[in-house]
Amino acid sequence: WSLDGRRKDLMVVDTQGKLGPPGKVFRLWILAIEEIRARYLVGYAIGAALNADLVRAAFLDALRRTGRIIPRTIQMDNGMENAAKEITGGAPWRRRGKVLEGEIIGLFPMLGIDVSWATPAHGQTKPVERLFGTLAGMVETRPEFRGAYCGNSPDARPEEWDASKAVPLEVVEALLREEIGAYHQTPHRGHGMQGRSPYQVYVEEGAKPGVVLRRITEPQERMCALSAAPVTI
């Protein structure tokens, strides 16, 4: 799996107070996990900030969507959210924070998932980055977001941008689900896809003879939802 987060180029208003105070206007973050071989988005989570809780939420979403399948390896960058001890504590080659004796074991090492770190400052080494570009073209250009699209850089802000036209969070959630569903069913060209959709490839690869899928139990899934913090006795 490949995991990464991206800040969407949309202004969103949280009318129901799901992610903070009701009425808060902010740019949305999405953290996605892609199965690299099939280019299939196995799980994702959205939030107002990129942190360890969002990583855990995306991973739990992947567990629910795949029937509690876990990967053998997960690739990510060294962002603070990924290098948090509760996520990757005990994993080798972490470039943030010291590895201390007796520190808590993070979520992924606890499940026996090998953590692979992407090359710093080289976004092209993360396959999920291409998925973000595809989704941006599908989601952020929709007419429902006219006026809420704030551009992908300070120099590229559209003239019609208006903070008062921020899109309600529940609308963004519904349209994101719709476009991700369409992406999964769209035939892809390119290496290894042969005109098949990401969903087709994901199902076919998992059903091949000799493929052993790693699954965790329901109690283990509940344990994954818990945070962890070191304490001194």
Side-chain angles (χ1 to χ4, degrees):
W1 292 1
S2 178
L3 177 153
D4 198 19
R6 182 183 185 274
R7 202 175 192 185
K8 304 293 286 181
D9 302 322
L10 298 171
M11 297 303 293
V12 175
V13 57
D14 189 359
T15 56
Q16 301 178 0
K18 291 183 178 180
L19 303 178
K24 179 181 178 180
V25 177
F26 57 92
R27 282 180 65 183
L28 192 70
W29 281 94
I30 177 171
L31 195 143
I33 305 175
E34 180 189 43
E35 200 284 321
I36 297 174
R37 170 63 184 89
R39 307 180 190 178
Y40 183 75
L41 198 158
V42 292
Y44 71 97
I46 59 175
L50 200 59
N51 51 37
D53 289 333
L54 202 62
V55 176
R56 184 185 297 105
F59 185 70
L60 288 169
D61 185 57
L63 293 181
R64 286 189 289 266
R65 291 173 183 271
T66 63
R68 294 193 290 272
I69 291 175
I70 62 172
R72 288 173 172 77
T73 303
I74 191 164
Q75 181 211 47
M76 60 181 72
D77 62 28
N78 275 272
M80 295 295 291
E81 70 283 356
N82 299 326
K85 292 186 184 298
E86 59 187 286
I87 300 298
T88 55
W93 311 112
R94 209 166 75 243
R95 294 183 175 87
R96 293 182 183 269
K98 296 181 179 179
V99 178
L100 303 176
E101 183 179 356
E103 74 176 5
I104 61 174
I105 302 300
L107 174 63
F108 296 147
M110 178 183 65
L111 294 174
I113 300 174
D114 292 332
V115 177
S116 171
W117 303 105
T119 304
H122 287 77
Q124 63 269 27
T125 63
K126 293 175 288 185
V128 70
E129 286 283 354
R130 179 174 294 183
L131 172 61
F132 283 139
T134 301
L135 289 180
M138 297 172 66
V139 176
E140 294 165 21
T141 57
R142 289 187 59 132
E144 292 91 341
F145 298 139
R146 188 177 302 277
Y149 178 69
C150 58
N152 55 12
S153 73
D155 298 329
R157 180 163 292 178
E159 293 181 359
E160 76 272 10
W161 180 82
D162 185 351
S164 65
K165 295 181 180 179
V167 180
L169 179 62
E170 56 270 21
V171 174
V172 178
E173 290 177 315
L175 295 179
L176 193 59
R177 284 195 299 268
E178 179 182 326
E179 293 295 354
I180 289 175
Y183 165 81
H184 283 158
Q185 300 298 329
T186 301
H188 283 217
R189 294 181 297 175
H191 181 68
M193 298 300 287
Q194 300 172 329
R196 296 173 296 172
S197 70
Y199 178 75
Q200 284 178 294
V201 177
Y202 181 76
V203 172
E204 290 173 10
E205 290 294 321
K208 282 185 175 180
V211 173
V212 179
L213 300 176
R214 299 179 65 204
R215 295 181 187 271
I216 61 174
T217 64
E218 185 177 348
Q220 285 175 314
E221 180 185 6
R222 291 198 299 269
M223 183 175 63
C224 291
L226 301 177
S227 182
V231 296
T232 301
I233 300 177

